Structures are given as structure tokens and as C-alpha cells.
Amino acid sequence: MISLQQVSKTFKDRGGSFNAVQSVSLEVGTGEIHGIIGASGAGKSTLLRMINVLERPDQGKVFVGDKELTALATRQLRKARHSIGMIFQQYNLVLNRTVSRNISMAMELAGVPKPERLARIDECLRFVGLEDKANQYPSQLSGGQMQRVAIARALANSPQVLLCDEPTSALDPQTTADILEVLRHVNQTYGVTILIVTHDMNVVKRICSRVSVMEQGKIVRTAAVADGEGLDDA
């Protein structure tokens, strides 16, 4: 489902250059929940953002499904991104939009007719257990509820892939467990392939089938979580 082939990314500033990701190759199978773990600055989030080409690799290729995203023109890439949902650490909700209108945004950009949008909003809210929050604003919600809204928004366009950038790091342990169960339910119900970036091995052990460990912009090992060999030192 996801194939990264020798992707690299270097950032430049007045102080010089920084190799954020260095010649990384990774294969994530259809329907898999795959973790990427490493210390702050290891390149995890940059790698995740290259999968939907929010960060364009300096070198290498990115495939999602049968499409090479790195070869697409801007309009084609924008359309391809409709099949890739993304969840962020700080939720990234629009504060002056209600819960319903936050979920509607991706569908509006995709040109989904209003009756279909309304039906899908209801479906997504039921899925994350927030049917009664449709007309509230993000400031009226708890952190866990805001992340559920973010998940509902990411599901609105029925994505094949869900990219999660530290989705539980701002949450308490019980709310983290609840959000991870929602993501597991997404995977099991819709067959969505999930890639989750985290610094917490407990998150990986709870939800992921495989995990890749990043250090200094490189994947140094990939293993099945059930095996666990060498992962406790990550």
C-alpha cells in the first residue's frame, strides 16, 4: 500500500543544512498498522509528511497504492491526497467552525455535494461517538473529544491510508487508550492502512503490528511488534 524508495530530505537555513531523512526505504502492507518510533529530531514527522508529499523528497520515490505521488502534477497530487487522511498532535481544528463544519471541510474541498456531506458527517460522528457534539465548537471540547473530531474529519473522504503524527502525545493515559481503540476500530472496520508516528513504545505495543525505529534520519531496524527483539531500547 505504501512504498518509500530511497527518500531523502535536507533542510537549509543560515546555519547550513540538516539531513532530516537519509535514503529511507519502507514498505507498509495494505491494512497494516505500522509504527515509526524514535527520539525527537529523528526525522519521524518529516518522513510521515513525505508520504502525502506535504514535504517533497529531494530524492527518491513515494508510492501509495498504484500511484507514484512524487511523479504527479499539482492537480493530480491534490486529488490523490483525498485518499490519504492525516491526524495531528495538536488536532488542527478550525476554532471558528463547529464540529460538523470541521468534518465537512475535506469533503467541501473534494467537491462532495451537500446532501452527501451531511450524511457522511452524521456517519463519522456516530463512528467516533460524538453524535451529540455536532453543533459545538472545539473550545467546548476536551482534548480527547477534539482528537475524535480530527479522526472523524480524516475519515470523511473514506481514505485508504491514515497518517497519524503523534496523535496521543498531548493526551492523558486513559484518553490515549481510548483514542488508540478508535484507531484500531477504524483499521478493523474500514481496512484503512495506518501509519503512526510516536515516541512512546507503549503506543506501538498497544496498536501496531510492525514498527520501524528511526535514528538520525535513518530507519535502523524494522520488526514485528510481537517479536519485540531490540525494541525496548528504542
Side-chain angles (χ1 to χ4, degrees):
M1 171 55 68
I2 299 171
S3 177
L4 304 179
Q5 299 179 5
Q6 297 291 307
V7 295
S8 296
K9 183 67 179 182
T10 298
F11 294 104
K12 297 180 180 179
D13 58 27
R14 293 178 181 178
S17 61
F18 170 65
N19 298 321
V21 176
Q22 303 181 56
S23 298
V24 167
S25 294
L26 178 66
E27 301 290 329
V28 178
T30 301
E32 182 180 348
I33 303 180
H34 193 106
I36 300 177
I37 192 166
S40 178
K44 308 183 301 297
S45 294
T46 299
L47 185 69
L48 192 77
R49 289 168 62 85
M50 286 199 288
I51 293 172
N52 58 4
V53 201
L54 288 177
E55 292 287 357
R56 184 170 289 276
D58 299 322
Q59 296 178 333
K61 298 178 180 180
V62 176
F63 292 84
V64 175
D66 59 354
K67 293 184 174 66
E68 182 189 346
L69 300 193
T70 40
L72 298 181
T74 301
R75 182 176 296 181
Q76 295 171 313
L77 179 58
R78 191 179 298 119
K79 184 176 180 180
R81 285 189 182 126
H82 293 162
S83 67
I84 305 173
M86 194 159 186
I87 301 169
F88 303 89
Q89 176 182 353
Q90 297 298 336
Y91 323 125
N92 282 23
L93 301 179
V94 179
L95 298 181
N96 64 354
R97 276 185 170 236
T98 62
V99 165
S100 289
R101 292 188 66 215
N102 266 279
I103 297 170
S104 179
M105 287 180 66
M107 293 184 286
E108 292 171 19
L109 292 172
V112 177
K114 186 173 182 179
E116 293 179 32
R117 293 203 309 268
L118 295 176
R120 183 62 177 162
I121 289 167
D122 289 343
E123 181 181 351
C124 291
L125 283 174
R126 285 196 303 272
F127 186 86
V128 299
L130 292 179
E131 305 97 313
D132 60 336
K133 306 296 183 184
N135 295 317
Q136 293 192 7
Y137 289 86
S139 62
Q140 298 173 287
L141 305 178
S142 68
Q145 289 170 335
M146 285 193 283
Q147 196 60 290
R148 286 173 183 261
V149 174
I151 293 171
R153 179 184 59 189
L155 293 176
N157 279 332
S158 302
Q160 298 175 321
V161 171
L162 194 57
L163 305 178
C164 306
D165 192 1
E166 299 274 10
T168 62
S169 64
L171 305 175
D172 63 74
Q174 182 55 56
T175 306
T176 291
D178 293 342
I179 292 300
L180 293 179
E181 283 305 309
V182 173
L183 292 175
R184 190 195 308 277
H185 191 34
V186 168
N187 173 259
Q188 293 175 344
T189 303
Y190 298 121
V192 175
T193 302
I194 298 177
L195 195 63
I196 182 167
V197 158
T198 182
H199 63 273
D200 187 349
M201 182 52 71
N202 290 323
V203 169
V204 168
K205 289 179 177 178
R206 185 182 289 268
I207 193 174
C208 298
S209 53
R210 288 199 305 148
V211 59
S212 296
V213 181
M214 285 196 77
E215 295 178 3
Q216 298 180 337
K218 299 179 180 180
I219 288 181
V220 296
R221 59 189 178 276
T222 296
V225 173
D227 294 342
E229 183 177 350
L231 295 180
D232 286 328
D233 298 327

